Amino acid sequence: MFTDVLSRLGLSEINPGAFARDWLKCHGPELVSLNPATGQPLGKVVTATHDEYETVIRTASESFLKWRLLPPPQRGEIIRQIGMSLRQHKADLGLLVTLETGKILTEGQGEVQEMIDMCDYAVGLSRQLFGLTMASERPSHRMFEQWHPLGPVGIITAFNFPVAVWAWNAAVAGVCGDSCVWKPSSNTPLTAIAVQQITNQVLKQHDLNGCFTLCIGSGSTIGQWLAEDRRLPLISATGSCHMGRRLAQTVAGRLGRSLLELGGNNGIIVTETANLELALRAVTFAAVGTAGQRCTSLRRLFLQQSIADEFLERLVAIYGQIRIGNPWDANVLLGPLISEQAVADMLHAMATAEGQGGKVLTGGHRLNRPGNFVEPTIIRATSGMSIVREETFAPILYVMTYEDLDQVIQIHNSVDQGLSSAIFTDRLMDAEKFLSPAGSDCGIANVNIGTSGAEIGGAFGGEKETGGGREAGSDSWKAYMRRQTCTINYGSDLPLAQGVTFDVN
Ligand code: NAD
């Protein structure tokens, strides 16, 4: 049914799972990519063995030596051309994202747009990799810092943003002068191969094949090898807290750097002064969008007692109108979950919530049709329920009520994760309190905007078990470079700092 789009993106029925300077003939286990809306295979990928992994890493290491010497604006020009190529393939690649992840068409297209935006951003950045000049206390001395490329970097991505997160990392790492090794999620290998093909078209013209490489396989093989590999000074990893905890220990064990973008447990507080119309729309998109499978999806909703009943009644009515179906159909708002396991996890979480005293207000069922379809679900909960502290990657919204803002901010902050947060209020003092040092403890804090849907340019990431990483904006580029502090003596004396003298005569 979708064979045209697959072939236009250079995908066949069986695809090689590794690209070094060229596609490698791979010999690892076969991986079947399934369409989560039908359960039918989209294509197969032969994953990489350790030998093929070695070829990829050697290539990325060699390519780095050449790539790091290109002036950053010239690297920016290559990224600009990749962005242009992505523009040409936006419709096809967006549809493939939809087919492989189950996210609705507008979100699939939006994800490719995010890659394009990231490329544009990185082009500008390529002329702005600034260092500082500091005042030296020593006469006739000049002190400054400069930023150099770091090395080949490993990029491990999650299934739910199968291409945008690669661009967050690769576009920035690329202009910073790093070569890249990408290990995508085993749920989304085809989108990764398609992106690699699009990138290759540009790289080949400039004899730069090998600067952006790909290695497909499981987390316990390729992912673990990347984490252990001393040739890779940085591993940027996106995924669950469980994965990040394990990976960070391995990378730290070799004193490497890790850049972690892990799970969230995001909350919105709605105060009685809020524009309820706005809040209802934002809550619905944040909780139901991408079938609750964004790291920034809304999981916990705190309603001020006086507006709770009205808000919930209206929210339940809106949930009743959510159109569930094939994600490539234009009017659909909710597609499937990524896998059978994800459905099982959702049903398990709901049963646990009910066991802990939660009350399902709407939803709660798997749909009786092929694919991994579930109803979006609202559960009346209390903050004492332990399930509320966990990230279940599905459209379950736990709703709680509160009286006092200070108290609810404390409850909001009491979970282990710290990614995204929001308050809806028309009262300036409440908004500012939420943004103050005593307010939200998350990496992202919004006022009158939902928790999901961040734009590039701002540093994206979260605190606590979300991992502390920042990507895609502000000064996040510094993670992909090494800082060098340089001091030049242009005098004929050798004064020491701190007034220290050390005269031999
Ligand atoms: P996951 O943790 O199952 O897998 C993520 C990636 O890690 C995959 O490529 C996987 O193969 C790899 N991996 C697994 N075990 C590994 C190991 N031991 N060593 C190295 N790599 C390993 O996550 P997922 O189900 O693909 O994605 C959903 C999770 O990702 C959610 O928790 C979500 O919140 C999180 N996420 C976070 C962000 C963010 O920016 N903070 C963005 C997207 C997704």
Side-chain angles (χ1 to χ4, degrees):
M1 174 184 175
F2 292 107
T3 43
D4 282 2
V5 68
L6 297 176
S7 75
R8 279 201 298 276
L9 290 167
L11 295 157
S12 53
E13 209 175 309
I14 300 184
N15 303 276
F19 182 89
R21 237 175 271 291
D22 222 323
W23 289 102
L24 302 180
K25 189 165 169 42
C26 290
H27 299 88
E30 245 177 30
L31 192 64
V32 182
S33 172
L34 297 175
N35 180 339
T38 61
Q40 295 302 310
L42 288 163
K44 287 182 185 164
V45 176
V46 186
T47 60
T49 59
H50 197 266
D51 280 353
E52 286 123 29
Y53 167 83
E54 274 297 318
T55 305
V56 170
I57 300 293
R58 265 200 311 276
T59 305
S61 302
E62 286 161 18
S63 307
F64 170 66
L65 303 180
K66 178 174 172 187
W67 182 242
R68 69 178 175 177
L69 294 180
L70 277 186
Q74 286 186 29
R75 297 194 294 254
E77 171 57 18
I78 303 296
I79 302 295
R80 189 189 69 78
Q81 291 178 23
I82 293 173
M84 295 306 289
S85 195
L86 285 167
R87 281 176 170 87
Q88 284 166 15
H89 294 92
K90 180 175 167 182
D92 284 342
L93 186 57
L95 176 55
L96 181 60
V97 170
T98 290
L99 293 177
E100 210 172 32
T101 64
K103 62 173 70 175
I104 59 173
L105 209 49
T106 174
E107 293 191 61
Q109 303 287 320
E111 200 178 331
V112 183
Q113 186 58 46
E114 196 167 341
M115 302 177 81
I116 294 166
D117 294 346
M118 234 12 252
C119 289
D120 289 354
Y121 171 80
V123 177
L125 184 65
S126 71
R127 291 181 186 269
Q128 299 177 73
L129 304 171
F130 305 134
L132 297 174
T133 297
M134 299 80 158
S136 170
E137 67 179 66
R138 290 172 282 182
S140 305
H141 279 55
R142 184 163 75 84
M143 182 162 61
F144 62 95
E145 67 182 16
Q146 55 182 358
W147 293 86
H148 285 313
L150 190 60
V153 303
I155 302 171
I156 297 174
T157 53
F159 82 84
N160 66 327
F161 278 92
V163 293
V165 171
W166 173 79
W168 287 6
N169 284 279
V172 172
V175 296
C176 289
D178 302 334
S179 57
C180 298
V181 182
W182 182 14
K183 191 212 94 59
S185 159
S186 299
N187 285 314
T188 53
L190 298 183
T191 46
I193 294 172
V195 168
Q196 185 70 45
Q197 305 266 32
I198 292 166
T199 308
N200 290 348
Q201 289 166 13
V202 175
L203 296 179
K204 213 168 168 184
Q205 286 168 27
H206 301 277
D207 194 24
L208 287 169
N209 273 5
C211 292
F212 295 87
T213 63
L214 176 68
C215 202
I216 298 177
S218 69
S220 58
T221 57
I222 311 289
Q224 182 69 19
W225 299 337
L226 288 168
E228 289 168 357
D229 202 321
R230 289 177 177 275
R231 292 166 291 184
L232 306 170
L234 172 69
I235 303 295
S236 174
T238 303
S240 58
C241 298
H242 173 75
M243 178 280 291
R245 197 173 292 115
R246 198 169 155 180
L247 176 125
Q249 287 177 17
T250 307
V251 177
R254 61 175 174 90
L255 297 183
R257 284 191 209 168
S258 44
L259 176 51
L260 300 174
E261 295 285 355
L262 309 177
N265 189 351
N266 315 296
I268 290 182
I269 297 170
V270 184
T271 74
E272 60 191 5
T273 65
N275 176 335
L276 296 192
E277 218 39 72
L278 207 66
L280 280 162
R281 281 169 53 195
V283 163
T284 307
F285 175 66
V288 178
T290 330
Q293 296 175 113
R294 287 190 186 212
C295 50
T296 50
S297 288
L298 175 63
R299 315 234 172 260
R300 297 176 299 143
L301 177 62
F302 302 97
L303 300 173
Q304 192 159 13
Q305 192 68 58
S306 53
I307 50 136
D309 287 346
E310 181 199 340
F311 193 93
L312 264 180
E313 196 178 314
R314 291 174 69 182
L315 190 63
V316 168
I318 292 171
Y319 266 53
Q321 293 164 24
I322 302 285
R323 295 178 297 276
I324 309 175
N326 287 329
W328 51 86
D329 289 342
N331 66 344
V332 161
L333 293 176
L334 180 64
L337 293 181
I338 187 67
S339 62
E340 283 288 339
Q341 184 59 49
V343 175
D345 290 347
M346 175 169 173
L347 297 177
H348 178 72
M350 284 185 318
T352 308
E354 286 185 294
Q356 293 178 356
K359 186 163 172 269
V360 176
L361 300 184
T362 182
H365 301 103
R366 180 180 193 156
L367 264 54
N368 185 16
R369 56 170 283 175
N372 313 316
F373 290 91
V374 291
E375 291 171 341
T377 299
I378 300 176
I379 297 181
R380 187 90 194 222
T382 59
S383 56
M385 290 165 49
S386 63
I387 189 72
V388 173
R389 307 176 64 80
E390 288 176 26
E391 180 196 48
T392 302
F393 224 51
I396 302 178
L397 179 63
Y398 299 111
V399 183
M400 291 151 276
T401 52
Y402 77 93
E403 296 279 11
D404 175 70
L405 185 59
D406 288 309
Q407 207 176 22
V408 78
I409 289 175
Q410 266 187 37
I411 292 170
H412 170 272
N413 291 349
S414 69
V415 294
D416 294 331
Q417 311 85 345
L419 182 51
S420 187
S421 60
I423 190 167
F424 278 78
T425 184
D426 278 356
R427 190 163 179 261
L428 180 68
M429 289 154 89
D430 291 346
E432 290 290 344
K433 181 176 275 185
F434 187 71
L435 299 181
S436 78
S440 162
D441 64 357
C442 292
I444 297 167
N446 295 332
V447 177
N448 294 337
I449 299 173
T451 48
S452 63
E455 55 182 295
I456 63 118
F460 182 93
E463 301 299 329
K464 303 191 287 184
E465 292 196 0
T466 303
R470 292 294 187 278
E471 292 177 4
S474 186
D475 63 353
S476 62
W477 59 270
K478 291 179 177 172
Y480 304 87
M481 302 198 86
R482 64 183 169 88
R483 184 195 312 241
Q484 189 168 61
T485 303
C486 309
T487 311
I488 297 172
N489 178 1
Y490 57 91
S492 47
D493 249 351
L494 196 64
L496 300 177
Q498 295 91 40
V500 173
T501 55
F502 198 79
D503 291 329
V504 178
N505 295 321

